[in-house]
Amino acid sequence: MRAGKAAAALIALFLALAGHAAAEPVRIVALGDSLTQGYGLAPEDGFVPQLQAWLAARGAEAEVINAGVSGDTTAGGAARVEWTLAGGADALIVALGGNDMLRGLDPENARENLEKILAAAERAAVPVLLIGIAAPVNYGPDYKDAFDAIWPELAARHGALLVPDFLAPLRAAIAAGADRARLMQPDGIHPSAEGVRLMVEAVGPRVLELLARVE
C-alpha cells in the first residue's frame, strides 16, 4: 500500500515537472545589427520588444533575446554566433548585412559569413529565420543583383525561413504616400517606433512559422 502511494507520488511529481518544462517559453535569439538592437529608440520601441509584444498578443509562448549590435556586419555576426547559440537558443533570427551594404563590402564576403552563421545553427539543430536587406540602385546593377541574391539562395540551401527585405514594409508605405518622417528617424537609415511596428507586422507571421519548427 505504501509502495503504491510512493509510486503515485513520484508519478504526480513527474507530471508536475513535465508540465513546468512544457510551460517554458521558446527562446528566440535575434542576431543582428542596429535594426535589431533598437538604435535611437526608447527601450520599449525597438524591434525585439515590439516583436515580443506582438507574439504575446497572439498567445505565443516565446522569449525574444536581443543579440543586436549596432554597427555589426555579417563578419561580426559570424564571429559571435557560436557563443550566442551556446547561451541558450531554441530558434534563431538572423538580420545582418545592412552595414556590409552601407560600406560597399564585397557581397561574396557577406555570403560566406552568413553561410558560417547558418552552418553553426544547423550544427546546433536550431531553426532559422533569415532576414535580408535590399541594396539600393546607386551601387550599380551588378552589385545589387549579387547582394540581393544572397538571402533567397542561402535560405533555399539551408532550409531556412526567409524575409527578403527587412525594410520593405517601410518602402511600401512611403511609396503609398505615408509620411517618411513618421516612419524613419532623422538619419534616414533607422526606423522610428512606428516604422518598427510595420516591420514587426510583416515579420511576425514568419516568426510564428519559426516557432512551429522548434522541436
Side-chain angles (χ1 to χ4, degrees):
M1 192 71 167
R2 289 179 181 175
K5 287 182 178 180
L10 286 173
I11 291 172
L13 177 60
F14 173 79
L15 291 174
L17 291 173
H20 176 73
E24 288 294 316
V26 174
R27 286 172 58 88
I28 305 172
V29 175
L31 182 71
D33 50 34
S34 57
L35 296 179
T36 300
Q37 181 266 335
Y39 175 87
L41 299 171
E44 67 274 13
D45 290 334
F47 173 73
V48 168
Q50 287 208 47
L51 177 60
Q52 180 77 69
W54 190 95
L55 293 171
R58 286 152 184 82
E61 296 289 337
E63 177 187 11
V64 188
I65 309 300
N66 193 338
V69 175
S70 290
D72 210 4
T73 61
T74 56
R80 61 192 175 93
V81 65
E82 295 282 1
W83 60 261
T84 298
L85 291 172
D90 300 309
L92 182 68
I93 296 173
V94 180
L96 288 161
N99 289 306
D100 297 65
M101 179 266 293
L102 288 173
R103 299 176 190 181
L105 301 181
D106 187 345
E108 189 56 34
N109 289 339
R111 179 189 294 273
E112 292 173 1
N113 293 326
L114 290 168
E115 185 86 57
K116 292 176 183 177
I117 293 170
L118 291 170
E122 286 181 351
R123 289 192 296 273
V126 171
V128 175
L129 169 60
L130 186 61
I131 302 179
I133 194 83
V137 295
N138 59 296
Y139 281 86
D142 291 342
Y143 187 97
K144 180 171 177 56
D145 289 346
F147 193 84
D148 292 355
I150 293 171
W151 287 270
E153 291 176 2
L154 288 181
R157 183 180 306 165
H158 291 272
L161 293 168
L162 174 67
V163 172
D165 183 7
F166 211 2
L167 298 178
L170 306 187
R171 295 192 181 97
I174 292 169
D179 182 4
R180 181 182 181 87
R182 187 172 62 86
L183 299 179
M184 302 295 295
Q185 294 183 43
D187 63 9
I189 297 174
H190 297 93
S192 65
E194 176 61 18
V196 172
R197 185 186 67 79
L198 294 182
M199 293 162 64
V200 167
E201 287 180 354
V203 171
R206 298 300 268 172
V207 178
L208 291 177
E209 291 181 53
L210 180 66
L211 289 173
R213 293 189 173 193
V214 175
E215 296 181 354

